[in-house]
Amino acid sequence: MNGRFVFPVRDILHRSGEMREFEIEVPAPEKWGEGLVWVAQGEPVTVDVRLEAVHEGILVTADIRSRYTGVCGRCLTDVAEPVEVEFQELFGYSGDEANDFEVQDDHVDLETPVRDSIVLSLPFQPVCQPDCPGLDPATGEKLAEGTVPETPIDDRWIALAALKADTTDHDGDAARDDVSHTEKS
């Protein structure tokens, strides 16, 4: 077995309690993630891994660090943030039991669990800053901090808005008449 995330475990197979630790930094073999953010192909991925022999197989514990890039979900500006994730997975010995991962040819291949851990930790709706105001729906321009977009009136309601304006004018006139009437009394 060959690959950037493949580790030999021949020296610890069936030796419960034995452990090996490795640290690797490899480029991501392909783009990991879909949507607004992803880990780009070639982006360095650092993996600190501990391989422990247990009765059922090889227990893998890994800490992964990399960086994701993409766009803000509110204002569409570019974002780039670090991503850190860890996982623990049992690579079972070949046998009757159904395992998600197995030791194959005295090796464990960590590419799938590393990729899955990173992709599942990526934010679904990333933002460039926690209080990003987003885009103005009318102009499409990025809003300044603290501004609230003005809600446009639907064309179907313009006639009612005109009636509301007339009611306000009449109510104001009636109130003025009441005040002048009481003063004369």
Side-chain angles (χ1 to χ4, degrees), residues 2-184:
N2 293 340
R4 300 172 186 190
F5 295 96
V6 175
F7 293 91
V9 293
R10 176 175 290 202
D11 59 334
I12 62 172
L13 283 178
H14 301 290
R15 296 177 148 183
S16 295
E18 291 287 321
M19 177 182 73
R20 300 290 178 266
E21 292 181 328
F22 300 94
E23 181 178 342
I24 62 168
E25 183 174 301
V26 296
E30 59 189 8
K31 176 182 166 185
W32 287 344
E34 296 295 327
L36 297 176
V37 292
W38 57 86
V39 174
Q41 180 177 358
E43 184 69 37
V45 178
T46 303
V47 182
D48 295 327
V49 64
R50 180 176 44 196
L51 307 171
E52 298 176 80
V54 294
H55 180 69
E56 298 86 10
I58 303 295
L59 183 64
V60 177
T61 306
D63 294 318
I64 308 157
R65 294 177 302 284
S66 190
R67 185 174 71 106
Y68 68 79
T69 54
V71 294
C72 175
R74 294 182 188 160
C75 67
L76 303 178
T77 59
D78 292 339
V79 294
E81 295 287 330
V83 59
E84 294 184 21
V85 66
E86 58 185 48
F87 74 87
Q88 190 170 52
E89 195 68 55
L90 177 65
F91 283 72
Y93 296 127
S94 298
D96 304 339
E97 296 181 30
N99 293 313
D100 289 338
F101 302 103
E102 289 187 355
V103 175
Q104 297 176 351
D105 299 328
D106 300 334
H107 292 80
V108 291
D109 184 359
L110 303 183
E111 184 172 348
T112 300
V114 166
R115 181 193 65 230
D116 291 351
S117 296
I118 287 177
V119 170
L120 290 173
S121 71
L122 295 176
F124 182 68
Q125 290 292 328
V127 291
C128 58
Q129 56 191 14
D131 58 346
C132 176
L135 299 176
D136 185 331
T139 64
E141 298 293 322
K142 183 175 179 178
L143 293 170
E145 286 188 41
T147 60
V148 177
E150 190 174 309
T151 307
I153 297 175
D154 189 335
D155 293 339
R156 296 172 291 181
W157 297 102
I158 289 178
L160 290 176
L163 289 175
K164 181 179 177 185
D166 288 344
T167 305
T168 305
D169 291 341
H170 293 306
D171 289 344
D173 293 341
R176 274 186 249 119
D177 289 343
D178 288 342
V179 169
S180 59
H181 181 62
T182 52
E183 290 175 2
K184 292 178 185 177

